[in-house]
Amino acid sequence: MPHDPYRALYVHLPFCVKRCAYCDFATAAVPADAPEIDAYVDELVLDIRRKAKEGELGALETVYLGGGTPSHVGLARLSMLLYTLSLSMHLTPEVECTMEANPESLTERMVRDIWALGVNRLSIGVQSFDDDVLRTLGRAHSADEARRAIEAAFTRFENVSLDLMCGIPGQSDESFEESVREAVRLGATHVSVYPLTIEPHTPFDAAVLAGELDEPDDDAEAAHMEIAERVLTEAGFARYEVASYARPGCESRHNIAYWTGVPYLGLGRSAATMTQNAARRMRVKDGQVTDDLDARQMAAEDLMLGMRMTVGVSDERVEQAAALLPELPATLDGLARRGLAEHREGRWRPTELGWLCGNELYGDLYDLAP
């Protein structure tokens, strides 16, 4: 049975000026003039052209250039990549095209040129506007460099997203709140807030094991997430996903695609592709199948992902899923009794407690069809 058309494209650029102490992504710290970046981008261009010839790019609604740090690869390579995309799939204004950037490598000229080539949304990895916190994280930029990069972004872009991190050892409530307020002051249209996670085999993991760094405090993370919701809501943002806030109309359509079961194509090292039809969903990374779900498992996963979002899942979706997962109504009632979910206005939605205790909420739904 053929798969549904891809509607989202992720292009992975796995290069950075340095690796942050907490990072476990598939990235490498290499100089911007390294020949391996040229070879990698050349291969990406060939992959894009091949997929276009195979008819796989015709239904795309969103494109996301992520990393790593796409801005680190430089304007010449980005221009070649974006030009190839525009020839292969027509980067019209209706296509949401996001590029990630870090402050140390985003210039006003780059902003100008990538905007002209079809990028219409920038996502800047700020993490904090506190220089002490940035040093703890091992970031390559200062708070002032972040401010300059954001100002440069707004010379062309209307939709600029900022990433912030919370729950960092040594990061006070006041420091985090000031970073959120600074993001608002600088004009961000979208803010993502990520609690620090200590991943195995990272420098942070080694520092925690050696007693040189405190483990992230769950209560501090929860307090910071509550600060973010309060400050951003007061500023006119709406929380539409567990970690994401946006001004009206500025939600990330690409990320929503991931959370709503939309088939996506991944190009580049360690980029995942998800194909599906009515009976089967598969994810493939680096040629290896990482997920192979039947219809029951697809239904459970869609419910779990839907509960990442403030809109939750509709009664109609629940009724359809219950035909495959007969224990679903009892599971939802149990989540409601524990305060993790609520039913109102014809939809099941996560509560604030449900988001804070996400492992319980998502685990119960996933376990309906493990």
Side-chain angles (χ1 to χ4, degrees), residues 14 181 211 344:
R181 292 191 181 281
R344 55 186 171 88

Side-chain angles (χ1 to χ4, degrees), residues 44-295:
L44 272 180
V45 166
L46 293 174
D47 285 345
I48 293 167
R49 288 176 173 164
R50 177 169 53 83
K51 288 296 182 183
K53 287 179 182 177
E54 293 170 359
E56 300 281 30
L57 307 185
L60 292 177
E61 298 171 1
T62 69
V63 176
Y64 196 103
L65 277 65
T69 310
S71 53
H72 177 62
V73 308
L75 186 51
R77 299 180 184 112
L78 287 173
S79 296
M80 181 169 67
L81 197 55
L82 290 165
Y83 183 66
T84 303
L85 278 170
S86 65
L87 288 177
S88 301
M89 57 159 290
H90 308 298
L91 282 179
T92 63
E94 290 71 37
V95 175
E96 179 192 84
C97 182
T98 302
M99 191 186 95
E100 290 183 345
N102 276 352
E104 71 278 357
S105 51
L106 184 67
T107 65
E108 194 166 328
R109 184 185 171 193
M110 181 181 289
V111 164
R112 224 172 30 236
D113 287 6
I114 63 172
W115 179 82
L117 285 165
V119 178
N120 51 30
R121 183 175 182 272
L122 268 182
S123 179
I124 303 176
V126 172
Q127 316 312 348
S128 176
F129 289 99
D130 183 327
D131 282 325
D132 289 338
V133 172
L134 291 172
R135 279 190 287 270
T136 298
L137 292 172
R139 299 292 290 177
H141 67 269
S142 67
D144 280 343
E145 285 173 318
R147 293 183 185 97
R148 283 195 293 272
I150 295 163
E151 289 169 3
F154 278 113
T155 61
R156 286 294 185 277
F157 288 84
E158 296 178 359
N159 196 355
V160 176
S161 177
L162 304 183
D163 286 352
L164 298 176
M165 291 183 69
C166 69
I168 301 158
Q171 181 186 39
S172 66
D173 292 355
E174 293 76 17
S175 168
F176 177 70
E177 180 166 341
E178 181 54 32
S179 286
V180 178
R181 292 191 181 281
E182 184 73 345
V184 173
R185 278 194 294 268
L186 290 167
T189 54
H190 184 284
V191 177
S192 295
V193 180
Y194 300 107
L196 173 66
T197 302
I198 304 296
E199 301 290 354
H201 313 302
T202 61
F204 264 18
D205 184 40
V208 168
L209 292 173
E212 298 166 357
L213 184 74
D214 293 333
E215 288 199 53
D217 181 274
D218 290 344
D219 291 338
E221 289 182 352
H224 289 179
M225 294 298 277
E226 289 170 357
I227 288 169
E229 182 169 34
R230 171 173 53 81
V231 172
L232 291 168
T233 300
E234 289 173 356
F237 289 73
R239 187 180 196 175
Y240 71 97
E241 188 266 342
V242 61
S244 301
Y245 300 79
R247 294 199 179 279
C250 294
E251 299 83 359
S252 169
R253 288 164 49 202
H254 186 84
N255 287 346
I256 290 172
Y258 288 142
W259 303 321
T260 53
V262 170
Y264 52 84
L265 173 65
L267 297 178
R269 189 182 307 159
S270 294
T273 291
M274 190 270 273
T275 58
Q276 70 178 18
N277 51 40
R280 188 181 190 194
R281 175 178 294 165
M282 290 182 63
R283 289 186 181 85
V284 178
K285 182 186 287 189
D286 293 332
Q288 302 294 315
V289 175
T290 59
D291 284 306
D292 190 351
L293 308 183
D294 60 24

